[in-house]
Amino acid sequence: MSVLDLPQPAWMSEDLVLLSDSARRFFLEECAPHYERWEAQGSVDRDIWLKAGQTGLLGAEVPEAYGGPGGSFAHDAVITCEANRAGIDGWGGPLHNAIVVPYIVHYGSEEQKQRWLPRLVSGELIGAIAMTEPGAGSDLQAVRTTAKRDGNHYLINGAKTFITNGQLANLIVVVTKTDPAAGARGTSLFVVETDEIDGFRRGRSLDKIGLKANDTSELFFEDVRVPGDALLGAQEGQGFVQLMQQLPQERLLIAIYAMARIERALTVTLDYVKSRKVFGQPVIEFQNSQFELAECKSEATVAKVFVDHCIERHLQGRLDTATASMAKYWVTDLQCKIIDRCLQLHGGYGYMNEYPIARMYRDARVERIYGGTNEIMKVLIARTL
Ligand SMILES: Cc1cc2nc3c(=O)[nH]c(=O)nc-3n(C[C@H](O)[C@H](O)[C@H](O)COP(=O)(O)OP(=O)(O)OC[C@H]3O[C@@H](n4cnc5c(N)ncnc54)[C@H](O)[C@@H]3O)c2cc1C
């Protein structure tokens, strides 16, 4: 189903092909018809999470012992790719699946896994990760949210912002300082179930230029009392290492979003330039259109080969931080360039919201910012020089 003439990547097995068919059907039939309404209301419907759970699109990496399908990141990659190829960019499922769930799979105790994973698979729990604060974005060590021991409990205090799934999430991985004087070594992650918890408040759903169907929000924690076993990891102070271990997967995931959207941009633009006539001929007949699309297709093909290479390496446990950062920075930059060129080929219609390329133009921009800005990606790559 790709506009690129590449063979199936080696990591794509038979069961992944079946998964991609059922994911595509789900996004086209259950999500696409509602997408405009979701954009207007600023979030997807709560029940789409339960339907995604019933269709087997949540928690692919969760082992069977905890109610999951026992898949791998390859399953997450396929689901993410299909969601974005179908234009369901604002649904926070990929973040839930490939960013939040792995923290519990990798660092949760047996009891924590049993408590949370089955409900993350069913969609009863919607995940979010709260790292960013008004004063701490790129510089994660500057986090000021604290978690102080209080007997068998911790008291969490602080404010987070820009949190994806912030209005709907009811399981939030919160980055805190258990020892503010200890720098990175004083960072700890807590899993906070927010249903019926005192002191937790959601702020505004933020007014963004794109990804309008996602409920990106501020979150406030005022003396939120969580049990000691909400801490992720056997002891305090492991949070920074846990984040550093998981961030390559997050960055690869964003490169996969971007790659799928590049394919979608080329698909919708090819359809458009073949049907729109100017000076009595379809826009595709102008040599400029052909050259523009030939360049875009070439660059997209190079990008796809690299993204598949990164997926392969990640599945073998060999994707390093710098290579994941290259994928995130380069493919998200390329996405913005290609979508801009595709929009230009639509003429004035490209600027009209009813054309998919217009929304893609708005939605794509954030990818160069979140998950670590592209400048931070270059800082990480530069460390290997
Ligand atoms: C729609 C959206 C969804 C998001 N979802 C989440 C989420 O779910 N969870 C979460 O925790 N966060 C989330 N974020 C936050 C996102 O990760 C941060 O916005 C991002 O990391 C940048 O931080 P900042 O906005 O504070 O920018 P700043 O850190 O203030 O950066 C400002 C500028 O300075 C540059 N800069 C900073 N440091 C350096 C440096 N060392 N060298 C060169 N340039 C530098 C940056 O690249 C940028 O251009 C989301 C953001 C958005 C917009």
Side-chain angles (χ1 to χ4, degrees):
M1 285 295 283
S2 169
V3 68
L4 306 179
D5 310 313
L6 284 167
Q8 201 81 269
W11 59 267
M12 190 83 183
S13 60
E14 272 302 305
D15 74 308
L16 290 170
V17 173
L18 294 177
L19 175 65
S20 86
D21 290 343
S22 88
R24 184 178 319 123
R25 263 198 314 280
F26 176 80
F27 294 121
L28 292 176
E29 290 169 14
E30 302 286 346
C31 301
H34 305 290
Y35 203 79
E36 234 177 273
R37 184 172 55 77
W38 291 350
E39 287 227 299
Q41 74 191 21
S43 80
V44 304
D45 292 337
R46 178 72 180 76
D47 75 348
I48 202 64
W49 284 91
L50 297 171
K51 284 187 188 165
Q54 284 154 11
T55 315
L57 302 179
L58 296 180
E61 294 186 46
V62 173
E64 286 173 17
Y66 309 103
S72 69
F73 179 74
H75 297 74
D76 286 332
V78 163
I79 294 164
T80 302
C81 189
E82 292 303 334
N84 286 278
R85 277 190 191 155
I88 312 303
D89 308 327
W91 177 56
L95 175 133
H96 168 102
N97 284 341
I99 300 178
V100 177
V101 164
Y103 279 100
I104 296 167
V105 170
H106 293 301
Y107 309 117
S109 65
E110 181 58 30
E111 195 280 321
Q112 287 173 327
K113 288 180 190 177
Q114 284 179 10
R115 195 182 336 154
W116 294 314
L117 290 176
R119 288 181 292 150
L120 286 163
V121 171
S122 68
E124 219 177 308
L125 289 176
I126 297 177
I129 180 150
M131 302 183 235
T132 307
E133 300 181 357
S138 301
D139 181 7
L140 265 184
Q141 294 200 33
V143 159
R144 292 179 60 183
T145 296
T146 54
K148 281 205 182 116
R149 245 211 189 274
D150 181 31
N152 290 334
H153 287 72
Y154 285 89
L155 285 179
I156 300 181
N157 280 285
K160 298 287 180 180
T161 193
F162 300 152
I163 306 308
T164 299
N165 299 340
Q167 294 293 312
L168 292 177
N170 50 359
L171 178 141
I172 306 179
V173 177
V174 186
V175 180
T176 71
K177 287 284 175 72
T178 35
D179 182 357
R185 282 193 299 277
T187 304
S188 301
L189 307 187
F190 285 84
V191 179
V192 181
E193 265 199 73
T194 60
D195 290 339
E196 296 165 24
I197 197 162
D198 290 333
F200 170 72
R201 191 162 59 79
R202 303 174 203 268
R204 300 177 289 141
S205 186
L206 299 166
D207 181 14
K208 309 184 292 298
I209 63 174
L211 290 186
K212 298 250 179 211
N214 189 266
D215 46 320
T216 313
S217 305
E218 298 170 321
L219 303 176
F220 301 99
F221 299 82
E222 283 161 20
D223 283 337
V224 172
R225 198 174 157 79
V226 293
D229 65 4
L231 174 71
L232 214 47
Q235 71 239 11
E236 294 174 11
Q238 297 179 353
F240 211 77
V241 172
Q242 292 165 342
L243 287 166
M244 292 307 116
Q245 285 171 347
Q246 294 306 310
L247 282 172
Q249 173 155 314
E250 173 168 350
R251 281 147 192 176
L252 177 57
L253 183 78
I254 295 173
I256 293 168
Y257 292 156
M259 195 60 239
R261 291 181 196 166
I262 288 173
E263 292 177 59
R264 176 166 154 83
L266 288 175
T267 304
V268 301
T269 305
L270 276 167
D271 284 349
Y272 185 81
V273 294
K274 285 177 185 170
S275 64
R276 169 77 175 165
K277 285 197 172 154
V278 183
F279 291 107
Q281 60 178 9
V283 171
I284 185 80
E285 296 298 330
F286 299 113
Q287 194 184 48
N288 177 64
S289 313
Q290 294 171 12
F291 280 11
E292 283 291 289
L293 289 167
E295 286 185 23
C296 289
K297 185 170 178 177
S298 307
E299 289 172 353
T301 303
V302 173
K304 181 93 167 71
V305 171
F306 181 54
V307 169
D308 282 329
H309 162 81
C310 290
I311 294 174
E312 191 100 47
R313 273 178 71 163
H314 187 49
L315 293 173
Q316 295 163 353
R318 295 193 301 119
L319 184 69
D320 57 277
T321 298
T323 310
S325 305
M326 290 175 200
K328 195 270 176 186
Y329 125 69
W330 194 74
V331 184
T332 59
D333 268 12
L334 181 68
Q335 171 191 220
C336 289
K337 287 181 202 150
I338 287 183
I339 290 175
D340 186 62
R341 294 170 87 172
C342 287
L343 187 152
Q344 187 71 13
L345 290 172
H346 282 69
Y349 297 93
Y351 202 64
M352 298 298 129
N353 278 325
E354 68 190 272
Y355 285 80
I357 198 71
R359 175 158 72 74
M360 295 182 76
Y361 184 80
R362 291 191 274 109
D363 289 352
R365 185 62 183 84
V366 74
E367 300 229 311
R368 289 157 58 194
I369 297 169
Y370 65 20
T373 65
N374 284 6
E375 292 72 36
I376 294 297
M377 296 305 101
K378 291 176 204 175
V379 169
L380 296 171
I381 299 161
R383 285 188 191 148
T384 66
L385 300 178

